[in-house]
Amino acid sequence: MSVALGARAGTVESFDDPRGIGVVCTDEGQRYPFHCTAVTDGTRTIAPGTTVTFRVAPGRRGCWEAADVTPVTPG
């Protein structure tokens, strides 16, 4: 899988659909929370275990968050 400059790859570790909050984990073990509005395909939901690319951005609560969470399609 190729990842654009500044982008990171990871896997959705968890996603709470009613709350719209999830966590992406990188292969190195770094964990970044994200909100459903960060999912770029417009669905506002994503299944745990989905491989994604994302960028890291400052969050509203002073911690780093995943932004532009994009599901990776196999191929």
Side-chain angles (χ1 to χ4, degrees):
M1 155 185 18
S2 65
V3 177
L5 186 63
R8 297 183 185 210
T11 304
V12 176
E13 182 177 270
S14 64
F15 186 76
D16 183 342
D17 210 17
R19 293 177 56 207
I21 297 172
V23 175
V24 173
C25 186
T26 67
D27 290 340
E28 295 81 29
Q30 296 169 308
R31 299 174 74 225
Y32 298 97
F34 68 94
H35 188 261
C36 64
T37 56
V39 180
T40 61
D41 66 5
T43 62
R44 290 187 159 218
T45 188
I46 194 162
T50 302
T51 301
V52 296
T53 60
F54 65 98
R55 65 182 181 80
V56 177
R60 289 182 262 173
R61 296 185 178 170
C63 65
W64 295 103
E65 294 181 358
D68 300 330
V69 178
T70 306
V72 176
T73 55

